[in-house]
Amino acid sequence: MDDISSKDYVIIDNFLREELYFEIKSFFLGKLPNFKEAGIGAHSDNQIDSAVRGDFTYWLDRNRDAHLKSYWNLLDETMHIFNRYCYLSLSGYEFHLAHYPFGGHYDKHLDQFENRNNRMISMIIYLNDDWQPGDGGELEIFEKDDSSFLVEPLAARCVMFKSAEVPHAVLEARKSRFSLTGWLLYQPSSVGKLFV
Protein backbone atom coordinates (compact mmCIF):
# COMPACT_ATOMS: atom_id res chain seq x y z
CA MET A 1 0.00 0.00 0.00
CA ASP A 2 2.89 2.38 0.75
CA ASP A 3 4.45 1.73 -2.67
CA ILE A 4 1.29 2.25 -4.67
CA SER A 5 0.45 5.39 -2.68
CA SER A 6 3.89 6.95 -3.16
CA LYS A 7 5.00 5.58 -6.56
CA ASP A 8 1.58 4.88 -8.14
CA TYR A 9 2.51 1.23 -8.75
CA VAL A 10 3.69 -1.91 -6.98
CA ILE A 11 5.26 -5.16 -8.25
CA ILE A 12 4.73 -8.33 -6.19
CA ASP A 13 6.46 -11.60 -7.07
CA ASN A 14 4.91 -14.99 -6.18
CA PHE A 15 1.51 -13.34 -5.75
CA LEU A 16 -0.30 -16.64 -6.30
CA ARG A 17 0.33 -19.80 -4.38
CA GLU A 18 1.39 -22.65 -6.66
CA GLU A 19 -1.92 -24.53 -6.54
CA LEU A 20 -3.95 -21.47 -7.54
CA TYR A 21 -1.45 -20.51 -10.25
CA PHE A 22 -1.81 -23.89 -11.98
CA GLU A 23 -5.59 -23.85 -11.55
CA ILE A 24 -5.81 -20.48 -13.34
CA LYS A 25 -3.26 -21.45 -16.00
CA SER A 26 -5.14 -24.67 -16.78
CA PHE A 27 -8.42 -22.74 -17.03
CA PHE A 28 -6.71 -20.19 -19.30
CA LEU A 29 -5.39 -22.81 -21.72
CA GLY A 30 -8.77 -24.52 -21.82
CA LYS A 31 -10.49 -21.28 -22.85
CA LEU A 32 -8.03 -20.26 -25.61
CA PRO A 33 -10.41 -21.35 -28.42
CA ASN A 34 -12.98 -18.86 -27.05
CA PHE A 35 -10.70 -15.80 -27.01
CA LYS A 36 -11.67 -12.85 -29.21
CA GLU A 37 -9.52 -10.10 -30.71
CA ALA A 38 -9.39 -7.19 -28.27
CA GLY A 39 -10.50 -3.71 -29.20
CA ILE A 40 -9.85 -0.22 -27.88
CA GLY A 41 -12.47 2.09 -26.40
CA ALA A 42 -15.51 1.43 -24.23
CA HIS A 43 -18.79 -0.18 -25.28
CA SER A 44 -20.16 1.49 -28.43
CA ASP A 45 -16.81 3.22 -29.07
CA ASN A 46 -14.95 -0.12 -29.07
CA GLN A 47 -13.04 -0.82 -32.27
CA ILE A 48 -10.39 -3.26 -33.46
CA ASP A 49 -7.07 -1.65 -34.38
CA SER A 50 -4.24 -4.18 -34.54
CA ALA A 51 -1.73 -1.39 -35.17
CA VAL A 52 -2.41 -0.19 -31.60
CA ARG A 53 -3.33 -3.41 -29.83
CA GLY A 54 -2.70 -7.02 -30.82
CA ASP A 55 -4.00 -9.26 -28.04
CA PHE A 56 -6.94 -11.64 -27.67
CA THR A 57 -9.13 -11.76 -24.57
CA TYR A 58 -11.67 -13.84 -22.70
CA TRP A 59 -13.77 -11.88 -20.20
CA LEU A 60 -14.37 -13.59 -16.87
CA ASP A 61 -17.75 -13.79 -15.17
CA ARG A 62 -17.98 -14.70 -11.50
CA ASN A 63 -21.24 -16.63 -11.91
CA ARG A 64 -20.30 -18.49 -15.09
CA ASP A 65 -16.72 -19.14 -13.94
CA ALA A 66 -17.71 -19.99 -10.37
CA HIS A 67 -15.25 -22.88 -10.08
CA LEU A 68 -12.45 -20.25 -9.87
CA LYS A 69 -13.67 -19.66 -6.31
CA SER A 70 -10.18 -19.25 -4.81
CA TYR A 71 -9.35 -16.58 -7.38
CA TRP A 72 -12.57 -14.64 -6.73
CA ASN A 73 -11.86 -14.83 -3.00
CA LEU A 74 -8.38 -13.43 -3.61
CA LEU A 75 -9.88 -10.49 -5.51
CA ASP A 76 -12.34 -9.86 -2.68
CA GLU A 77 -9.46 -9.84 -0.19
CA THR A 78 -7.36 -7.53 -2.36
CA MET A 79 -10.24 -5.08 -2.74
CA HIS A 80 -10.88 -5.19 1.03
CA ILE A 81 -7.23 -4.32 1.75
CA PHE A 82 -7.34 -1.32 -0.62
CA ASN A 83 -10.55 -0.11 0.99
CA ARG A 84 -9.20 -0.54 4.51
CA TYR A 85 -5.81 1.11 4.06
CA CYS A 86 -6.39 3.53 1.18
CA TYR A 87 -10.05 4.43 1.74
CA LEU A 88 -10.92 3.88 -1.92
CA SER A 89 -14.52 2.62 -1.56
CA LEU A 90 -13.94 -0.01 -4.23
CA SER A 91 -17.11 -1.98 -4.91
CA GLY A 92 -16.47 -4.15 -7.95
CA TYR A 93 -14.05 -5.42 -10.56
CA GLU A 94 -13.80 -6.61 -14.15
CA PHE A 95 -11.15 -9.07 -15.36
CA HIS A 96 -10.18 -10.90 -18.50
CA LEU A 97 -7.63 -13.43 -19.65
CA ALA A 98 -5.22 -11.95 -22.22
CA HIS A 99 -3.17 -13.74 -24.85
CA TYR A 100 -0.55 -11.85 -26.83
CA PRO A 101 0.51 -14.10 -29.72
CA PHE A 102 3.82 -13.67 -31.55
CA GLY A 103 3.99 -10.02 -32.64
CA GLY A 104 1.22 -8.91 -30.28
CA HIS A 105 1.72 -5.60 -28.48
CA TYR A 106 -0.22 -2.69 -26.98
CA ASP A 107 0.87 0.91 -27.56
CA LYS A 108 1.29 3.40 -24.70
CA HIS A 109 -2.02 4.16 -23.01
CA LEU A 110 -3.90 4.76 -19.76
CA ASP A 111 -6.45 2.27 -18.41
CA GLN A 112 -9.18 4.88 -18.27
CA PHE A 113 -11.90 5.97 -20.69
CA GLU A 114 -12.87 9.58 -21.31
CA ASN A 115 -16.57 8.88 -20.74
CA ARG A 116 -16.16 6.24 -18.02
CA ASN A 117 -13.67 6.89 -15.23
CA ASN A 118 -14.43 4.26 -12.58
CA ARG A 119 -11.31 2.12 -13.01
CA MET A 120 -9.20 2.81 -9.95
CA ILE A 121 -6.52 0.09 -9.73
CA SER A 122 -5.19 -1.92 -12.66
CA MET A 123 -4.05 -5.42 -11.77
CA ILE A 124 -2.05 -7.83 -13.93
CA ILE A 125 -1.05 -11.36 -12.96
CA TYR A 126 1.36 -13.08 -15.35
CA LEU A 127 0.98 -16.72 -16.34
CA ASN A 128 4.20 -17.26 -18.31
CA ASP A 129 6.23 -20.32 -17.36
CA ASP A 130 9.95 -20.18 -18.17
CA TRP A 131 9.91 -16.65 -19.55
CA GLN A 132 13.41 -15.68 -20.76
CA PRO A 133 15.01 -12.37 -21.79
CA GLY A 134 14.33 -11.97 -25.49
CA ASP A 135 10.83 -13.48 -25.27
CA GLY A 136 9.37 -9.96 -25.35
CA GLY A 137 6.00 -8.95 -23.97
CA GLU A 138 7.46 -6.81 -21.18
CA LEU A 139 5.26 -4.20 -19.54
CA GLU A 140 6.74 -0.73 -19.99
CA ILE A 141 5.76 1.65 -17.19
CA PHE A 142 6.24 5.39 -17.73
CA GLU A 143 7.19 7.55 -14.77
CA LYS A 144 6.09 11.14 -14.14
CA ASP A 145 9.41 12.45 -15.55
CA ASP A 146 8.76 10.57 -18.84
CA SER A 147 11.43 7.99 -18.09
CA SER A 148 10.33 4.37 -18.22
CA PHE A 149 11.32 0.89 -17.09
CA LEU A 150 10.42 -2.64 -18.11
CA VAL A 151 8.66 -5.30 -16.04
CA GLU A 152 9.31 -8.88 -17.13
CA PRO A 153 6.09 -10.95 -17.36
CA LEU A 154 7.25 -13.67 -14.97
CA ALA A 155 4.95 -16.45 -13.75
CA ALA A 156 2.83 -15.48 -10.71
CA ARG A 157 4.16 -11.89 -10.72
CA CYS A 158 1.50 -9.27 -10.01
CA VAL A 159 1.67 -5.62 -11.03
CA MET A 160 -0.83 -3.11 -9.66
CA PHE A 161 -1.01 0.58 -10.49
CA LYS A 162 -3.36 3.57 -10.47
CA SER A 163 -5.41 3.21 -13.63
CA ALA A 164 -5.76 6.92 -14.39
CA GLU A 165 -2.20 7.87 -13.43
CA VAL A 166 0.24 5.36 -14.94
CA PRO A 167 0.82 5.30 -18.72
CA HIS A 168 2.08 1.93 -19.87
CA ALA A 169 2.61 -0.25 -22.92
CA VAL A 170 3.15 -3.92 -23.74
CA LEU A 171 6.20 -4.55 -25.89
CA GLU A 172 6.00 -6.90 -28.84
CA ALA A 173 5.78 -10.54 -27.80
CA ARG A 174 8.25 -12.94 -29.38
CA LYS A 175 6.25 -15.94 -28.16
CA SER A 176 2.79 -16.40 -26.62
CA ARG A 177 2.37 -14.20 -23.55
CA PHE A 178 -0.38 -14.93 -21.04
CA SER A 179 -1.85 -12.76 -18.29
CA LEU A 180 -4.89 -12.27 -16.11
CA THR A 181 -5.69 -8.57 -16.33
CA GLY A 182 -8.36 -6.35 -14.87
CA TRP A 183 -9.47 -3.42 -12.79
CA LEU A 184 -10.72 -2.75 -9.31
CA LEU A 185 -13.66 -0.40 -9.70
CA TYR A 186 -15.34 2.46 -7.96
CA GLN A 187 -18.76 1.86 -9.46
CA PRO A 188 -20.08 5.41 -9.97
CA SER A 189 -18.63 6.81 -13.19
CA SER A 190 -18.14 10.26 -11.64
CA VAL A 191 -15.26 9.18 -9.38
CA GLY A 192 -12.67 11.83 -8.63
CA LYS A 193 -8.90 11.76 -8.57
CA LEU A 194 -7.30 8.77 -6.86
CA PHE A 195 -5.53 9.27 -3.53
CA VAL A 196 -6.19 13.03 -3.37
Side-chain angles (χ1 to χ4, degrees):
M1 295 301 104
D2 288 343
D3 279 353
I4 202 166
S5 293
S6 63
K7 299 191 301 184
D8 297 342
Y9 60 84
V10 63
I11 301 167
I12 306 168
D13 287 334
N14 302 309
F15 185 74
L16 300 177
R17 67 180 190 277
E18 188 172 302
E19 179 184 349
L20 181 54
Y21 175 83
F22 286 114
E23 178 183 334
I24 294 171
K25 181 71 177 281
S26 176
F27 177 83
F28 186 112
L29 295 176
K31 292 297 181 183
L32 270 177
N34 305 110
F35 280 49
K36 300 188 182 308
E37 189 171 4
I40 53 176
H43 304 301
S44 61
D45 296 327
N46 190 271
Q47 54 186 307
I48 304 295
D49 187 347
S50 57
V52 173
R53 180 178 186 180
D55 62 320
F56 293 77
T57 59
Y58 175 86
W59 286 90
L60 294 173
D61 180 275
R62 185 166 190 156
N63 293 322
R64 182 193 62 215
D65 305 315
H67 59 283
L68 291 175
K69 182 178 179 181
S70 294
Y71 167 68
W72 299 119
N73 290 341
L74 176 64
L75 284 184
D76 291 338
E77 181 182 356
T78 302
M79 194 165 61
H80 172 75
I81 290 170
F82 272 108
N83 286 340
R84 180 175 179 183
Y85 293 104
C86 297
Y87 310 106
L88 290 186
S89 300
L90 299 170
S91 57
Y93 40 72
E94 54 188 9
F95 276 81
H96 65 262
L97 306 174
H99 171 220
Y100 286 79
F102 183 93
H105 72 288
Y106 199 160
D107 289 351
K108 182 180 178 182
H109 65 283
L110 284 172
D111 283 352
Q112 199 67 275
F113 301 115
E114 288 184 14
N115 58 351
R116 181 192 152 202
N117 59 353
N118 65 335
R119 290 178 172 177
M120 300 291 280
I121 301 293
S122 299
M123 184 175 177
I124 307 164
I125 301 171
Y126 294 112
L127 305 169
N128 303 299
D129 300 324
D130 303 318
W131 185 91
Q132 298 294 322
D135 288 345
E138 297 94 341
L139 178 71
E140 184 173 12
I141 291 181
F142 295 86
E143 305 260 28
K144 288 184 170 67
D145 63 2
D146 288 330
S147 65
S148 68
F149 65 94
L150 300 181
V151 180
E152 298 172 339
L154 304 179
R157 171 175 280 175
C158 178
V159 182
M160 291 184 279
F161 52 86
K162 299 176 186 176
S163 301
E165 303 289 334
V166 178
H168 57 285
V170 177
L171 302 190
E172 185 175 327
R174 309 310 297 170
K175 70 175 189 180
S176 285
R177 173 199 188 268
F178 303 143
S179 66
L180 178 49
T181 300
W183 301 272
L184 305 180
L185 308 174
Y186 181 78
Q187 295 289 29
S189 60
S190 58
V191 65
K193 189 178 173 84
L194 179 60
F195 297 144
V196 177

